[in-house]
Amino acid sequence: MILTTGGTGYIGSHTVVELLNAGFEVLIVDDLSNSEKEVVQRIEKITNKKVAFEEIDLKNKEKTFAIFEKYPTINAIVHFAASKAVGESVEKPLMYYENNIGSLINLLQASAKYEINNFVFSSSCTVYGQPNVLPVTENTPRCEAESPYGNTKKIAEDILKDTAFADKTFKSIALRYFNPIGAHPTGLIGELPRGVPANLIPFVTQTAFGLRKELSIFGNDYNTPDGTCIRDYINVVDLAKAHVISIKRLLENKNKSNYEFFNIGTGKGSTVLEVVKAFEKSTGVKVNYKIVAKRPGDIEKIWADTTYANIELGWKAETGLEETLASAWKWEKNYRA
Ligand code: UFG
């Protein structure tokens, strides 16, 4: 059984679907602080399989340990549960360190006690900051984090590396996501931001739907072909599949070292304006936008070199940008219907 923390969240829910499709039994643990319980039923509808669910806050050590008593067949963990709003983390750093690092430590202590030695972690390309050389490979040095959120990802990677060094039986893989977007092709699960979306794609789909008057594009005088920032937008289902491959790699002892990390992106950068145009082309719906001031802390450009993941994991992003944006639009419409 695969324990998936944060399994009702955006990337977690898509990963649970792929794990179930691959034949794994799954237990979701989530505190529902940023997701809905109904996602569990939606996952079951998509897969026609049952998934176990426990509403638990991993900051609670006793309850975290109790999970492993109750589900003795857990043999691997995919750990998504974390707070993820960059701006909020600047305002509430302690909350971010407590949520993201405190829960990781509890989980690792429980893993050690119950001898669960296979651990996949959701990291982020945020660990690279603004790299000097593009695209970024896994050898690109990590830099000083730009936010407490980013720092929690960096610290968590270090914790995993140190744990794997100290305990030779413990194996972990950190996946450094670039910008996950899109939704399951059924339109039954997707990204569900609370309040005004901070991220580009939910803002685009909500604007297209008429919930927002216009998209604000943050800056158009960056050193990029059209002046807007470049990101590597990765389809969330493709991303989910990277977790299944990583879990299998650990369970089959195919890992090359006890702590590995991989870039998970498409290898292709797109500007904000290119994304807006691709959305309009694939959906036929216009997106009103205006150019506004740069957003503080935004990185000018980043995209992944995915060669290592392609070769070592045998994983590759398969879905194109337009198809992915169409899936985000389908989800937005389904959800609002
Ligand atoms: N953008 C806009 N308008 C918006 C929202 C975003 O123009 O309303 C632009 C941003 O300036 C940026 C691009 O769209 O150029 C993507 O922005 P997102 O907020 O969607 O994503 P970020 O790249 O800023 O952040 C994402 C994750 C973070 C993670 C980071 C790692 O949301 O959790 O990647 O680099 F830390």
Side-chain angles (χ1 to χ4, degrees):
M1 174 179 258
I2 314 296
L3 165 59
T4 310
T5 75
T8 50
Y10 175 43
I11 305 170
S13 58
H14 289 82
T15 300
V16 171
V17 166
E18 296 309 316
L19 284 168
L20 291 168
N21 284 343
F24 289 105
E25 269 190 274
V26 178
L27 163 65
I28 294 176
V29 168
D30 204 302
D31 68 356
L32 301 178
S33 60
N34 194 24
S35 60
E36 306 294 332
K37 174 91 193 289
E38 199 207 331
V39 170
V40 174
Q41 281 83 53
R42 288 171 174 246
I43 289 170
E44 291 180 337
K45 193 170 171 195
I46 293 171
T47 59
N48 208 15
K49 291 184 175 163
K50 285 274 165 217
V51 55
F53 174 80
E54 296 285 344
E55 185 179 341
I56 286 168
D57 182 343
L58 296 167
K59 291 199 295 299
N60 184 320
K61 198 178 282 272
E62 255 172 48
K63 287 189 178 163
T64 301
F65 276 65
I67 298 167
F68 296 87
E69 290 287 343
K70 186 167 173 188
Y71 297 91
T73 59
I74 293 171
N75 57 350
I77 299 171
V78 191
H79 181 44
F80 294 103
S83 302
K84 61 172 187 177
V86 177
E88 185 186 44
S89 79
V90 176
E91 274 151 35
K92 301 176 184 166
L94 294 183
M95 182 182 118
Y96 270 68
Y97 289 113
E98 187 180 28
N99 283 355
N100 295 6
I101 304 300
S103 58
L104 173 68
I105 290 173
N106 286 344
L107 199 53
L108 289 175
Q109 286 173 335
S111 308
K113 178 172 176 201
Y114 293 92
E115 295 174 18
I116 316 300
N117 291 319
N118 306 299
F119 197 97
V120 175
F121 177 66
S122 59
S123 190
S124 165
C125 70
T126 192
V127 300
Y128 296 117
Q130 176 61 69
N132 296 325
V133 182
L134 287 165
V136 286
T137 73
E138 287 78 357
N139 292 324
T140 300
R142 299 184 313 166
C143 74
E144 182 126 348
E146 312 237 343
S147 68
Y149 160 77
N151 210 22
T152 66
K153 292 295 173 191
K154 220 176 140 191
I155 294 169
E157 286 194 351
D158 290 342
I159 290 173
L160 291 175
K161 187 173 76 175
D162 293 345
T163 306
F165 182 78
D167 174 359
K168 302 295 180 215
T169 61
F170 177 78
K171 300 170 289 173
S172 71
I173 295 178
L175 300 179
R176 292 177 176 165
Y177 314 153
F178 282 66
N179 284 52
I181 63 163
H184 195 266
T186 57
L188 285 171
I189 53 171
E191 194 170 3
L192 196 53
R194 289 187 172 159
V196 181
N199 296 112
L200 178 63
I201 305 310
F203 211 105
V204 166
T205 54
Q206 290 193 10
T207 306
F209 197 78
L211 283 176
R212 316 261 159 218
K213 197 166 126 264
E214 59 194 354
L215 166 73
S216 294
I217 294 183
F218 302 131
N220 68 348
D221 60 352
Y222 285 102
N223 183 21
T224 63
D226 62 26
T228 63
C229 292
I230 296 178
R231 297 286 183 277
D232 183 334
Y233 294 94
I234 168 79
N235 178 282
V236 68
V237 176
D238 288 346
L239 172 61
K241 288 177 181 164
H243 297 79
V244 179
I245 291 171
S246 300
I247 281 289
K248 286 185 180 162
R249 182 178 175 89
L250 294 177
L251 289 173
E252 293 164 11
N253 284 314
K254 291 197 173 137
N255 51 304
K256 290 248 166 87
S257 69
N258 278 12
Y259 170 64
E260 298 182 298
F261 48 95
F262 297 93
N263 286 344
I264 304 295
T266 66
K268 188 177 172 298
S270 306
T271 68
V272 178
L273 280 171
E274 282 167 353
V275 169
V276 170
K277 280 178 199 140
F279 180 88
E280 290 179 337
K281 187 165 171 232
S282 70
T283 64
V285 183
K286 200 164 158 23
V287 180
N288 297 324
Y289 70 85
K290 64 173 176 195
I291 308 291
V292 301
K294 285 178 178 169
R295 182 168 67 174
D298 256 343
I299 279 156
E300 182 171 81
K301 49 189 159 191
I302 187 163
W303 64 95
D305 181 325
T306 60
T307 312
Y308 188 55
N310 299 159
I311 293 170
E312 259 313 309
L313 295 180
W315 171 90
K316 204 172 187 330
E318 285 164 359
T319 320
L321 182 62
E322 284 183 25
E323 190 183 332
T324 301
L325 291 167
S327 72
W329 179 229
K330 181 175 179 181
W331 157 246
E332 183 76 53
K333 285 188 297 179
N334 272 9
Y335 180 72
R336 306 282 165 199

Short mmCIF file of all heavy atoms in Angstrom, two decimals, residues 87-120:
data_model
loop_
_atom_site.label_atom_id
_atom_site.label_comp_id
_atom_site.label_asym_id
_atom_site.label_seq_id
_atom_site.Cartn_x
_atom_site.Cartn_y
_atom_site.Cartn_z
N GLY A 87 3.89 33.81 -1.44
CA GLY A 87 3.64 35.09 -0.76
C GLY A 87 3.27 34.91 0.70
O GLY A 87 3.80 35.59 1.59
N GLU A 88 2.39 33.95 0.96
CA GLU A 88 1.97 33.68 2.33
C GLU A 88 3.16 33.25 3.19
O GLU A 88 3.25 33.61 4.37
CB GLU A 88 0.91 32.56 2.32
CG GLU A 88 0.30 32.27 3.67
CD GLU A 88 -0.64 31.06 3.63
OE1 GLU A 88 -0.28 30.03 3.02
OE2 GLU A 88 -1.72 31.16 4.21
N SER A 89 4.08 32.51 2.56
CA SER A 89 5.23 32.01 3.33
C SER A 89 6.14 33.15 3.79
O SER A 89 6.80 33.05 4.81
CB SER A 89 6.03 31.00 2.50
OG SER A 89 6.89 31.62 1.56
N VAL A 90 6.15 34.24 3.01
CA VAL A 90 6.96 35.39 3.40
C VAL A 90 6.34 36.05 4.64
O VAL A 90 7.04 36.49 5.54
CB VAL A 90 7.06 36.41 2.24
CG1 VAL A 90 7.81 37.67 2.66
CG2 VAL A 90 7.73 35.77 1.02
N GLU A 91 5.00 36.04 4.69
CA GLU A 91 4.32 36.65 5.83
C GLU A 91 4.28 35.75 7.06
O GLU A 91 4.26 36.22 8.19
CB GLU A 91 2.88 37.00 5.43
CG GLU A 91 2.79 38.36 4.77
CD GLU A 91 1.64 38.44 3.79
OE1 GLU A 91 0.59 37.83 4.07
OE2 GLU A 91 1.81 39.10 2.76
N LYS A 92 4.22 34.44 6.81
CA LYS A 92 4.09 33.50 7.94
C LYS A 92 5.18 32.42 7.87
O LYS A 92 4.88 31.23 7.70
CB LYS A 92 2.71 32.83 7.89
CG LYS A 92 1.56 33.82 7.97
CD LYS A 92 0.24 33.09 7.82
CE LYS A 92 -0.92 34.06 7.79
NZ LYS A 92 -2.17 33.44 7.33
N PRO A 93 6.43 32.84 8.02
CA PRO A 93 7.52 31.86 7.85
C PRO A 93 7.44 30.69 8.83
O PRO A 93 7.65 29.55 8.45
CB PRO A 93 8.79 32.69 8.06
CG PRO A 93 8.36 33.94 8.72
CD PRO A 93 6.95 34.18 8.31
N LEU A 94 7.10 30.99 10.10
CA LEU A 94 7.11 29.91 11.09
C LEU A 94 6.05 28.87 10.77
O LEU A 94 6.26 27.67 10.94
CB LEU A 94 6.90 30.48 12.50
CG LEU A 94 8.04 31.36 13.00
CD1 LEU A 94 7.78 31.82 14.42
CD2 LEU A 94 9.38 30.63 12.90
N MET A 95 4.91 29.37 10.28
CA MET A 95 3.85 28.42 9.89
C MET A 95 4.36 27.50 8.79
O MET A 95 4.11 26.30 8.80
CB MET A 95 2.63 29.20 9.41
CG MET A 95 1.46 28.33 9.03
SD MET A 95 0.12 29.37 8.41
CE MET A 95 0.00 28.74 6.76
N TYR A 96 5.13 28.08 7.85
CA TYR A 96 5.64 27.26 6.74
C TYR A 96 6.68 26.26 7.22
O TYR A 96 6.68 25.10 6.80
CB TYR A 96 6.16 28.16 5.59
CG TYR A 96 5.02 28.42 4.63
CD1 TYR A 96 3.95 29.20 5.03
CD2 TYR A 96 4.97 27.81 3.38
CE1 TYR A 96 2.85 29.38 4.20
CE2 TYR A 96 3.88 27.99 2.54
CZ TYR A 96 2.83 28.77 2.95
OH TYR A 96 1.74 28.92 2.14
N TYR A 97 7.58 26.71 8.11
CA TYR A 97 8.59 25.76 8.60
C TYR A 97 7.92 24.66 9.43
O TYR A 97 8.28 23.49 9.33
CB TYR A 97 9.68 26.49 9.39
CG TYR A 97 10.57 27.32 8.47
CD1 TYR A 97 10.59 28.71 8.51
CD2 TYR A 97 11.37 26.68 7.52
CE1 TYR A 97 11.38 29.45 7.64
CE2 TYR A 97 12.16 27.41 6.65
CZ TYR A 97 12.16 28.80 6.72
OH TYR A 97 12.94 29.51 5.85
N GLU A 98 6.93 25.06 10.23
CA GLU A 98 6.25 24.05 11.05
C GLU A 98 5.48 23.05 10.17
O GLU A 98 5.59 21.84 10.34
CB GLU A 98 5.30 24.73 12.04
CG GLU A 98 4.71 23.74 13.02
CD GLU A 98 3.76 24.39 14.03
OE1 GLU A 98 3.14 25.42 13.70
OE2 GLU A 98 3.63 23.83 15.12
N ASN A 99 4.70 23.59 9.23
CA ASN A 99 3.90 22.71 8.37
C ASN A 99 4.78 21.81 7.51
O ASN A 99 4.57 20.60 7.44
CB ASN A 99 3.02 23.52 7.42
CG ASN A 99 1.81 24.10 8.12
OD1 ASN A 99 1.57 23.82 9.29
ND2 ASN A 99 1.04 24.90 7.41
N ASN A 100 5.71 22.42 6.83
CA ASN A 100 6.44 21.66 5.80
C ASN A 100 7.60 20.85 6.36
O ASN A 100 7.86 19.75 5.88
CB ASN A 100 6.94 22.60 4.71
CG ASN A 100 5.79 23.25 3.94
OD1 ASN A 100 4.62 23.08 4.29
ND2 ASN A 100 6.10 23.99 2.90
N ILE A 101 8.27 21.39 7.35
CA ILE A 101 9.42 20.65 7.90
C ILE A 101 8.98 19.78 9.08
O ILE A 101 9.36 18.62 9.18
CB ILE A 101 10.55 21.63 8.34
CG1 ILE A 101 10.96 22.50 7.14
CG2 ILE A 101 11.74 20.86 8.88
CD1 ILE A 101 11.48 21.76 5.94
N GLY A 102 8.13 20.33 9.95
CA GLY A 102 7.65 19.56 11.10
C GLY A 102 6.98 18.27 10.66
O GLY A 102 7.28 17.18 11.19
N SER A 103 6.12 18.36 9.67
CA SER A 103 5.39 17.16 9.24
C SER A 103 6.34 16.17 8.55
O SER A 103 6.19 14.96 8.72
CB SER A 103 4.23 17.53 8.33
OG SER A 103 4.70 18.23 7.20
N LEU A 104 7.31 16.68 7.83
CA LEU A 104 8.27 15.78 7.18
C LEU A 104 9.06 14.98 8.23
O LEU A 104 9.26 13.77 8.11
CB LEU A 104 9.24 16.58 6.29
CG LEU A 104 10.40 15.78 5.69
CD1 LEU A 104 9.90 14.77 4.66
CD2 LEU A 104 11.43 16.71 5.05
N ILE A 105 9.48 15.67 9.29
CA ILE A 105 10.25 15.00 10.34
C ILE A 105 9.40 13.93 11.03
O ILE A 105 9.84 12.80 11.24
CB ILE A 105 10.83 16.04 11.33
CG1 ILE A 105 11.93 16.85 10.62
CG2 ILE A 105 11.38 15.36 12.59
CD1 ILE A 105 12.46 18.01 11.39
N ASN A 106 8.17 14.28 11.35
CA ASN A 106 7.28 13.27 11.96
C ASN A 106 7.15 12.04 11.07
O ASN A 106 7.21 10.90 11.53
CB ASN A 106 5.88 13.86 12.19
CG ASN A 106 5.87 14.82 13.36
OD1 ASN A 106 6.79 14.83 14.17
ND2 ASN A 106 4.81 15.61 13.46
N LEU A 107 6.95 12.30 9.79
CA LEU A 107 6.75 11.21 8.84
C LEU A 107 8.01 10.34 8.72
O LEU A 107 7.93 9.11 8.68
CB LEU A 107 6.38 11.83 7.49
CG LEU A 107 5.69 10.97 6.45
CD1 LEU A 107 4.45 10.30 7.01
CD2 LEU A 107 5.31 11.84 5.25
N LEU A 108 9.17 11.00 8.70
CA LEU A 108 10.42 10.24 8.59
C LEU A 108 10.72 9.45 9.86
O LEU A 108 11.24 8.33 9.80
CB LEU A 108 11.59 11.18 8.25
CG LEU A 108 11.56 11.75 6.83
CD1 LEU A 108 12.67 12.76 6.64
CD2 LEU A 108 11.66 10.63 5.79
N GLN A 109 10.35 10.02 11.00
CA GLN A 109 10.55 9.27 12.25
C GLN A 109 9.65 8.04 12.28
O GLN A 109 10.05 6.96 12.70
CB GLN A 109 10.30 10.18 13.46
CG GLN A 109 11.45 11.17 13.66
CD GLN A 109 11.18 12.21 14.73
OE1 GLN A 109 10.01 12.52 15.02
NE2 GLN A 109 12.22 12.77 15.29
N ALA A 110 8.42 8.24 11.82
CA ALA A 110 7.49 7.10 11.75
C ALA A 110 8.00 6.07 10.74
O ALA A 110 7.98 4.87 10.99
CB ALA A 110 6.09 7.59 11.39
N SER A 111 8.50 6.56 9.60
CA SER A 111 9.04 5.65 8.57
C SER A 111 10.17 4.81 9.15
O SER A 111 10.27 3.62 8.87
CB SER A 111 9.60 6.41 7.37
OG SER A 111 8.69 7.32 6.88
N ALA A 112 11.03 5.46 9.94
CA ALA A 112 12.16 4.74 10.53
C ALA A 112 11.66 3.67 11.49
O ALA A 112 12.09 2.52 11.44
CB ALA A 112 13.09 5.73 11.25
N LYS A 113 10.70 4.05 12.34
CA LYS A 113 10.20 3.10 13.33
C LYS A 113 9.54 1.89 12.65
O LYS A 113 9.73 0.76 13.06
CB LYS A 113 9.21 3.79 14.27
CG LYS A 113 8.65 2.81 15.27
CD LYS A 113 7.82 3.43 16.36
CE LYS A 113 7.24 2.30 17.22
NZ LYS A 113 6.08 2.73 17.96
N TYR A 114 8.76 2.17 11.62
CA TYR A 114 8.00 1.08 10.98
C TYR A 114 8.73 0.51 9.75
O TYR A 114 8.17 -0.27 9.00
CB TYR A 114 6.58 1.56 10.63
CG TYR A 114 5.78 1.83 11.88
CD1 TYR A 114 5.76 3.11 12.45
CD2 TYR A 114 5.12 0.79 12.53
CE1 TYR A 114 5.06 3.35 13.63
CE2 TYR A 114 4.42 1.03 13.71
CZ TYR A 114 4.40 2.31 14.26
OH TYR A 114 3.72 2.54 15.42
N GLU A 115 9.97 0.97 9.59
CA GLU A 115 10.84 0.44 8.53
C GLU A 115 10.24 0.56 7.13
O GLU A 115 10.24 -0.39 6.35
CB GLU A 115 11.26 -1.00 8.84
CG GLU A 115 12.11 -1.06 10.10
CD GLU A 115 12.44 -2.48 10.54
OE1 GLU A 115 12.30 -3.40 9.71
OE2 GLU A 115 12.83 -2.64 11.70
N ILE A 116 9.70 1.75 6.86
CA ILE A 116 9.21 2.02 5.51
C ILE A 116 10.33 2.78 4.81
O ILE A 116 10.60 3.94 5.14
CB ILE A 116 7.93 2.90 5.53
CG1 ILE A 116 6.93 2.44 6.59
CG2 ILE A 116 7.31 2.98 4.13
CD1 ILE A 116 6.43 1.04 6.44
N ASN A 117 10.98 2.13 3.87
CA ASN A 117 12.24 2.68 3.37
C ASN A 117 12.16 3.29 1.98
O ASN A 117 13.19 3.59 1.38
CB ASN A 117 13.31 1.60 3.40
CG ASN A 117 13.68 1.26 4.83
OD1 ASN A 117 13.80 2.16 5.67
ND2 ASN A 117 13.83 -0.01 5.13
N ASN A 118 10.97 3.48 1.48
CA ASN A 118 10.81 4.00 0.11
C ASN A 118 10.01 5.30 0.17
O ASN A 118 8.84 5.29 0.54
CB ASN A 118 10.10 2.96 -0.75
CG ASN A 118 10.80 1.63 -0.68
OD1 ASN A 118 11.96 1.52 -1.05
ND2 ASN A 118 10.11 0.62 -0.17
N PHE A 119 10.66 6.40 -0.21
CA PHE A 119 10.07 7.71 0.05
C PHE A 119 10.25 8.62 -1.17
O PHE A 119 11.37 8.90 -1.60
CB PHE A 119 10.79 8.32 1.26
CG PHE A 119 10.06 9.46 1.91
CD1 PHE A 119 9.27 9.24 3.03
CD2 PHE A 119 10.19 10.76 1.43
CE1 PHE A 119 8.60 10.30 3.66
CE2 PHE A 119 9.53 11.81 2.04
CZ PHE A 119 8.74 11.59 3.16
N VAL A 120 9.13 9.06 -1.72
CA VAL A 120 9.19 10.00 -2.87
C VAL A 120 8.70 11.36 -2.38
O VAL A 120 7.66 11.46 -1.73
CB VAL A 120 8.32 9.50 -4.05
CG1 VAL A 120 8.28 10.53 -5.17
CG2 VAL A 120 8.88 8.17 -4.57
#
